[in-house]
Amino acid sequence: MANDPEEKQPTPSPRDDSAAAKPHAAAGEPASKPPAAPVAPAAPAGKPPAAAGPPKPPAPPKEGPVALDNDLVKRYKEKFGEAIREAWIDRKQAILVIARERLVEIAAYSRDDEKFDWLSDLTAVDWPKREQRFDVVLNLYSFEKNERLRLKVHASADERVPSVQGVWATANWEEREVYDMFGVVFEGHPELKRILLPEEWQGHPLRKDYDILTQDTAWVRENLGIESGQ
């Protein structure tokens, strides 16, 4: 109809120019790439090896017995000649090996002339494979000179060692200990008997071929009537 108003057309939506400006993605290519993973920092370079130091000096040789020929030894050799069998120094300790039969004479000279007035120790060492198996050792000290000296004699199991109890009174008990533990007999001792073990004890425990467990078991069984607790 001529008087009918014109049919209204839908209003067109505004065009998105930004979308039109983007080119179409190629076939098979994703629309966008994921962000790249962060790159780890490079590890620091290792330290260069330390320069080698100077070589260590060789270890000093171990101290051991050294032959001794000082004024002290010369005086002893002048006085006793061949009775001074050996002389050496070990760890700053002067040592004289002397003839067993002249022990008392040399001991008295050591006390009176060389002023070794104190017998600090008298003991023994057992070397069972040696013919003269015992070393009887006297350690002397001089208060006047602040000096030490060791006298040593050798003896077999059947040889008697002269007692020095008349030179140093302390030898009385020390010689009894050596007799008790090693079986060394000191000739001239006023009362040589055991001091640590009972008189009926058999043998001498510090001899290296002594079976202490067998003897202990036998003594306990015989004297106490029980089995040993060893």
Side-chain angles (χ1 to χ4, degrees), residues 42-48:
K47 293 183 179 180

Side-chain angles (χ1 to χ4, degrees), residues 3 5 17 21 27 31 44 52 60 66-67 70 74 106 133 142 156 170 198 219 223:
N3 293 329
D17 293 336
V66 177
N70 61 2
K74 289 176 181 177
I106 294 173
R133 65 183 295 175
S142 169
S156 68
T170 54
W219 188 90
N223 293 275

Side-chain angles (χ1 to χ4, degrees), residues 63-176:
E63 189 176 359
V66 177
L68 182 64
D69 192 26
N70 61 2
D71 291 340
L72 175 72
V73 174
K74 289 176 181 177
R75 291 195 298 270
Y76 272 86
K77 286 184 174 180
E78 275 185 19
K79 179 75 175 176
F80 301 105
E82 295 300 318
I84 308 301
R85 303 285 173 80
E86 297 178 68
W88 70 81
I89 186 168
D90 188 5
R91 299 170 183 83
K92 301 180 181 180
Q93 173 74 70
I95 302 170
L96 299 180
V97 181
I98 63 177
R100 185 186 69 261
E101 60 274 10
R102 301 191 67 181
L103 173 58
V104 175
E105 183 184 357
I106 294 173
Y109 170 82
S110 300
R111 181 196 62 189
D112 299 335
D113 293 72
E114 297 294 341
K115 307 305 179 185
F116 290 101
D117 40 6
W118 182 34
L119 174 66
S120 62
D121 186 37
L122 189 155
T123 187
V125 183
D126 183 21
W127 304 94
K129 295 182 180 180
R130 202 175 67 185
E131 182 179 355
Q132 288 184 303
R133 65 183 295 175
F134 297 116
D135 288 345
V136 177
V137 183
L138 293 77
N139 291 309
L140 314 180
Y141 179 73
S142 169
F143 286 97
E144 182 176 314
K145 300 189 292 184
N146 187 25
E147 186 177 338
R148 296 182 183 274
L149 174 66
R150 180 176 300 167
L151 301 180
K152 185 183 293 188
V153 302
H154 297 155
S156 68
D158 300 324
E159 290 175 328
R160 293 173 175 251
V161 175
S163 171
V164 294
Q165 186 268 341
V167 181
W168 296 287
T170 54
N172 187 318
W173 297 274
E174 293 172 336
E175 289 176 353
R176 285 179 60 189

Side-chain angles (χ1 to χ4, degrees), residues 143-218:
F143 286 97
E144 182 176 314
K145 300 189 292 184
N146 187 25
E147 186 177 338
R148 296 182 183 274
L149 174 66
R150 180 176 300 167
L151 301 180
K152 185 183 293 188
V153 302
H154 297 155
S156 68
D158 300 324
E159 290 175 328
R160 293 173 175 251
V161 175
S163 171
V164 294
Q165 186 268 341
V167 181
W168 296 287
T170 54
N172 187 318
W173 297 274
E174 293 172 336
E175 289 176 353
R176 285 179 60 189
E177 287 183 4
V178 173
Y179 166 72
D180 196 353
M181 295 289 103
F182 293 91
V184 175
V185 176
F186 290 90
E187 190 170 29
H189 191 284
E191 192 180 11
L192 191 64
K193 62 181 182 180
R194 291 189 185 273
I195 191 172
L196 300 175
L197 294 171
E199 278 296 317
E200 62 272 14
W201 193 271
Q202 299 298 312
H204 306 281
L206 288 187
R207 290 191 178 191
K208 291 182 180 177
D209 53 4
Y210 182 78
D211 187 350
I212 181 66
L213 292 181
T214 298
Q215 174 55 214
D216 175 79
T217 300

Side-chain angles (χ1 to χ4, degrees), residues 28-38:
E29 183 179 348
S32 61
K33 294 181 180 180

